[in-house]
Amino acid sequence: MRTSQGHKKEGVMTLRDTVIEIDLKALAHNMDAIRAMVGKEVAVMPVIKANAYGLGAVGVAPTLIAHGARYLAVATLSEAMELRTAYPDAPLFILGHTPDRLLPVVVKNSITQTIFTAAQAKALSDAAAGLGAKAKVHLKVDTGFHRLGTDNIEELFAICQTPNIDVEGIFSHLALANEEEDEKQFAMFQSIVKELEARGIRFKYKHITDSISAVDYPRFRLSMVRPGALVYGLRGSHKGYIDVKQAVTFKTRISQLHKVNTGEGVGYDYLWRAQRDSIIATLPFGYADGYPRNMRDKGYVTIHGIKCPLVGVLCMDQCMADVTDVPNVKEADEAIIYGTGENNTMDIAEAAALAGTNKNEIVARLMARPPRVYMS
Ligand SMILES: *Cc1c(COP(=O)(O)O)cnc(C)c1O
């Protein structure tokens, strides 16, 4: 893939000890596993919204393309433009709504847009005419989620009749309420597609599955799947098994060690007090890096394979851990914040459980501040 601006490579100086390390081999493996699962007839559109679930969209894009991504899907035009600037030729898809006033930017940058009203189609058509181009779109059908889309056949048909618009695909999204509801949504989607096809419309791509449904409902894969979590090696609540590997590790190094005597406090309000003479490590990461502030008293980092509980209140940029039980602990020793679960590390699933959220939020909330380091 042609790039106008190189992304950070190994060997470039990393300006911080707290980093998000991305295993590009794991990412490639996951794409290959997804493609093997769905077979050659089904296109794969990895979802790389929210900065590729925290891994860095610009950093992961070339690997995904090299491993068969038909499109890179994002939520917003701003996300699409970050990728467009880096990769002038990458096939980009916006899953979300783009306001009419911004549609000329979409056309100008050859981005495939989700639409669901004839009025949007008209605005897009006008923008395309002004540029002497054709706007590529996928229709969004609301089959019950009630987020984006329409179930109005006449509206969908009117979009298809709009000049300067190339309707390449049609899609919907499952609420995953239960199997019966999923079947109902799928049946409704199929009947709308059938009705439009009966009127002579042809769709190259039809899609309705995210990660979970792509694994558990082979019938629903149609001609394209839209996995997000699975690409990054985050297994969901699917029943079926797919061999994917967590691609992200969040790590740092000890900035200082303190001897803290029994009874002394640590951090704001001295909310933690030493029950024994302790060694406390200061770590240079905090909630402004995207680590959940509510992990106090639950979170831990892993140093030399030993779990070290976080103590006291998590600060914006730093936190403290009790490392009393780590033999020969030294300043600058590595601390794993989120690992793969091996060697006593906290994986994303455990972090989600401890923070009371889901895995996607744990990674999506990782801020831009920690440098991304891509290992190939
Ligand atoms: C985010 C998103 C996906 C991917 O979801 P995962 O659960 O991470 O696989 C797929 N489709 C749409 C429309 C989305 O917004």
Side-chain angles (χ1 to χ4, degrees):
M1 181 166 38
R2 191 155 65 88
T3 78
S4 69
Q5 82 185 20
H7 68 278
K8 222 168 137 294
K9 300 248 163 41
E10 275 175 89
V12 174
M13 191 189 287
T14 302
L15 299 176
R16 204 179 159 195
D17 275 345
T18 301
V19 297
I20 292 166
E21 196 174 272
I22 293 98
D23 179 354
L24 292 177
K25 275 207 288 274
L27 215 58
H29 168 90
N30 297 345
M31 270 300 287
D32 292 348
I34 293 164
R35 280 174 51 233
M37 175 181 79
V38 301
K40 277 199 287 293
E41 304 305 313
V42 179
V44 178
M45 172 158 74
V47 177
I48 71 167
K49 63 191 178 189
N51 203 24
Y53 293 47
L55 279 65
V58 170
V60 303
T63 302
L64 300 180
I65 294 281
H67 286 262
R70 170 60 188 84
Y71 266 119
L72 302 172
V74 293
T76 67
L77 176 60
S78 52
E79 292 179 327
M81 287 309 295
E82 188 195 2
L83 285 161
R84 176 57 75 235
T85 304
Y87 307 115
D89 304 329
L92 303 177
F93 187 103
I94 296 177
L95 295 160
H97 169 248
T98 300
D100 288 357
R101 71 173 193 285
L102 297 173
L103 290 174
V105 182
V106 170
V107 182
K108 199 166 179 184
N109 288 282
S110 309
I111 298 163
T112 301
Q113 175 65 49
T114 295
I115 63 168
F116 41 89
T117 71
Q120 291 169 333
K122 173 78 171 59
L124 204 54
S125 175
D126 292 348
L131 291 157
K134 252 194 161 190
K136 215 178 257 187
V137 304
H138 287 210
L139 307 180
K140 183 81 191 269
V141 180
D142 181 11
T143 52
F145 202 117
H146 299 332
R147 187 170 65 176
L148 279 189
T150 180
D151 61 357
N152 183 325
I153 300 259
E154 297 310 327
E155 188 90 27
L156 293 166
F157 187 64
I159 296 171
C160 299
Q161 302 301 107
T162 309
N164 311 315
I165 300 275
D166 170 12
V167 179
E168 183 194 46
I170 184 165
F171 75 112
S172 188
H173 197 63
L174 296 172
L176 302 174
N178 56 51
E179 208 172 317
E180 191 190 334
E181 292 291 346
D182 296 341
E183 288 283 353
K184 235 198 259 174
Q185 282 191 268
F186 182 68
M188 181 173 170
F189 181 64
Q190 290 289 70
S191 93
I192 287 172
V193 170
K194 220 170 134 192
E195 170 73 31
L196 290 167
E197 285 177 343
R199 296 190 192 188
I201 313 294
R202 292 291 171 267
F203 302 102
K204 185 165 178 201
Y205 296 112
K206 305 170 200 173
H207 45 114
I208 195 167
T209 55
D210 63 354
S211 294
I212 292 172
S213 47
V215 176
D216 279 348
Y217 301 122
R219 250 183 346 109
F220 291 10
R221 291 172 192 155
L222 303 173
S223 49
M224 181 179 263
V225 294
R226 303 188 306 265
L230 218 50
V231 174
Y232 311 106
L234 306 174
R235 272 199 206 82
S237 55
H238 44 86
K239 297 171 205 86
Y241 179 77
I242 174 167
D243 173 34
V244 291
K245 298 182 168 76
Q246 187 183 303
V248 64
T249 303
F250 190 19
K251 53 162 95 166
T252 189
R253 290 181 183 279
I254 298 172
S255 32
Q256 198 182 3
L257 291 171
H258 292 268
K259 285 203 167 101
V260 176
N261 296 323
T262 306
E264 288 183 340
V266 168
Y268 286 119
D269 298 323
Y270 293 156
L271 280 188
W272 182 86
R273 284 186 185 274
Q275 302 293 305
R276 57 175 174 170
D277 289 350
S278 305
I279 305 172
I280 299 300
T282 303
L283 299 162
F285 75 97
Y287 61 80
D289 294 305
Y291 192 81
R293 191 167 176 274
N294 71 354
M295 291 283 256
R296 173 166 84 86
D297 297 335
K298 290 180 277 192
Y300 62 87
V301 294
T302 305
I303 300 172
H304 302 320
I306 294 170
K307 294 184 182 185
C308 305
L310 300 185
V311 299
V313 175
L314 251 125
C315 307
M316 188 181 257
D317 321 298
Q318 304 181 83
C319 60
M320 277 69 94
D322 182 353
V323 298
T324 314
D325 297 327
V326 182
N328 304 317
V329 67
K330 298 182 306 301
E331 286 167 356
D333 280 356
E334 185 177 82
I336 306 295
I337 306 165
Y338 302 147
T340 56
E342 280 162 40
N343 205 17
N344 277 328
T345 59
M346 180 190 298
D347 66 8
I348 303 297
E350 185 181 2
L354 291 176
T357 183
N358 68 1
K359 294 186 280 282
N360 283 1
E361 192 197 341
I362 289 292
V363 289
R365 71 193 294 173
L366 289 170
M367 298 292 174
R369 187 165 71 165
R372 268 59 173 177
V373 178
Y374 296 93
M375 315 296 288
S376 43

